[in-house]
Amino acid sequence: MQNWDLARNNYGGLRMVKSQTVQLAGGRVIKVQFNPERIRSSAAKVDAKSIQQRACFLCEENRPAQQEGVAFGDDFTILINPYPIFPEHLTIVSNRHTLQLIEPNFKQMLALARELKEFTLFYNGPKCGASAPDHFHFQAGTKGFMPVEEDFRNGKYTKLAAEEKGVKLYQWEEYHCGVITFQGDREQVMVDLFERLYTYLRSYQPDEIEPMLNVLAYFEKGSWIVHVFPRILHRPSCYFEEGVKQILISPASVDMGGVFITPREEDFEKISAADLENILKQVCLNPKDTACAIIHLLNK
């Protein structure tokens, strides 16, 4: 922040970001943020041809000299994100140029969440908001920023589905999207449950490089809390509309967590509860099928 003008200016600019709250049917509250600097992510071209034609901006040799990092073991480097959503926003990149695939890295996500206790870790799948699907990375933002965290604490939308070897499984109701939550302090049980869920979700999308999902993880009061949002679509139909019908939203983990990012002011001004409900319905696995996934986990 001291040495990088771009980052310092963009974090200072967060004070000018507009925000509003929108209540959905059933009571869920969504924060909507107008953040023009996030256009790079929302409108990122992530098709194979576009990726091949640009240098990877997460590889060390292509990063700005001012974007210094902190090592996390031998495999990851923790960087400041110069285009923030959160008051403190990190990008945690693999030291190898390898594809955005969560399964072999989920255990590292838990380790990072335990180490970075003031942050919520999040993972965007290659077709679920990742603007660099060719280079594995997590992100992390200030804990408590996303409404899903308080929604889980107060238990208004969650129901305990089961407990396995000390890890609790929750399903969500009246939340307008399917969510599966794991809570516990046994790392290997968390990993095993996630891998079983990952394998099951793959059956929905056998032709994808990995099942579409967003993942949030944080550590508090001695336990990990992991929210998994199974996805069925990259971008909603309103993203591709023209004129006044277009709403340029490309949902990722932060949106799933209850903070929708609009990089255009006209979208911020016109978006409604019905729009948000429709976007979630289009891009997320529905609660009924998510409940089936939990039943599958319990029967294994």
Side-chain angles (χ1 to χ4, degrees):
M1 291 286 284
Q2 291 176 353
N3 300 326
W4 196 5
D5 290 344
L6 173 68
R8 184 171 59 253
N9 292 337
N10 285 343
Y11 278 87
L14 283 179
R15 294 191 298 268
M16 305 299 292
V17 165
K18 294 182 179 180
S19 63
Q20 60 176 315
T21 58
V22 180
Q23 188 174 58
L24 309 188
R28 183 185 180 185
V29 173
I30 297 289
K31 297 179 183 178
V32 182
Q33 184 186 96
F34 166 48
N35 189 336
E37 293 298 333
R38 295 300 298 179
I39 191 70
R40 294 167 179 80
S41 179
S42 297
K45 294 182 178 181
V46 294
D47 59 283
K49 183 178 179 180
S50 296
I51 290 171
Q52 290 172 359
Q53 291 177 345
R54 57 107 169 116
C56 176
F57 53 86
L58 295 183
C59 282
E60 183 176 9
E61 61 269 24
N62 300 324
R63 299 197 298 257
Q66 301 94 328
Q67 194 175 21
E68 300 173 7
V70 176
F72 185 80
D74 296 327
D75 298 326
F76 288 90
T77 300
I78 302 173
L79 307 168
I80 190 172
N81 188 316
Y83 303 105
I85 297 170
F86 302 81
E88 293 177 310
H89 192 159
L90 307 176
T91 301
I92 304 164
V93 302
S94 171
N95 293 333
R96 297 184 299 119
H97 184 76
T98 185
L99 291 176
Q100 184 80 335
L101 299 171
I102 182 63
E103 187 181 25
N105 295 287
F106 180 71
K107 193 170 184 177
Q108 287 277 33
M109 188 179 199
L110 296 181
L112 281 158
R114 185 165 192 163
E115 186 72 18
L116 301 174
K117 291 183 176 65
E118 297 178 2
F119 291 84
T120 296
L121 272 288
F122 56 100
Y123 169 80
N124 294 325
K127 289 186 178 179
C128 299
S131 53
D134 54 329
H135 191 126
F136 187 82
H137 64 287
F138 297 111
Q139 293 183 67
T142 314
K143 186 181 285 185
F145 185 85
M146 289 181 280
V148 69
E149 297 171 42
E150 180 57 30
D151 290 340
F152 179 71
R153 291 187 194 100
N154 65 36
K156 180 178 179 181
Y157 303 99
T158 57
K159 181 175 73 174
L160 181 63
E163 184 170 344
E164 180 169 319
K165 298 177 182 178
V167 174
K168 296 178 179 178
L169 281 74
Y170 294 88
Q171 63 188 69
W172 293 62
E173 299 173 343
E174 300 296 326
Y175 213 59
H176 297 276
C177 62
V179 193
I180 298 171
T181 296
F182 305 132
Q183 181 184 32
D185 60 1
R186 302 187 64 182
E187 180 183 68
Q188 192 55 51
V189 179
M190 300 280 280
V191 172
D192 291 344
L193 283 168
F194 179 79
E195 289 179 349
R196 279 156 49 186
L197 175 61
Y198 186 95
T199 299
Y200 176 76
L201 293 175
R202 184 185 290 279
S203 67
Y204 275 86
Q205 300 161 336
D207 297 327
E208 296 290 349
I209 190 169
E210 78 166 5
M212 296 174 67
L213 43 73
N214 297 107
V215 185
L216 306 177
Y218 48 98
F219 192 84
E220 62 183 27
K221 297 182 179 179
S223 294
W224 283 283
I225 298 168
V226 177
H227 305 300
V228 182
F229 298 82
R231 296 277 298 272
I232 58 173
L233 191 65
H234 182 193
R235 287 165 170 162
S237 59
C238 62
Y239 184 94
F240 304 100
E241 292 282 3
E242 297 181 354
V244 296
K245 292 184 178 181
Q246 186 183 48
I247 301 176
L248 199 69
I249 284 180
S250 184
S253 291
V254 177
D255 307 82
M256 297 296 104
V259 183
F260 270 71
I261 308 302
T262 57
R264 304 191 312 179
E265 190 168 18
E266 59 264 38
D267 296 334
F268 173 80
E269 298 291 347
K270 72 186 178 187
I271 199 164
S272 67
D275 293 324
L276 294 169
E277 291 169 11
N278 190 33
I279 289 169
L280 288 168
K281 183 178 181 180
Q282 287 187 48
V283 305
C284 297
L285 190 68
N286 65 58
K288 181 180 178 180
D289 287 338
T290 305
C292 289
I294 292 176
I295 292 170
H296 174 82
L297 286 178
L298 301 178
N299 290 335
K300 293 294 280 186

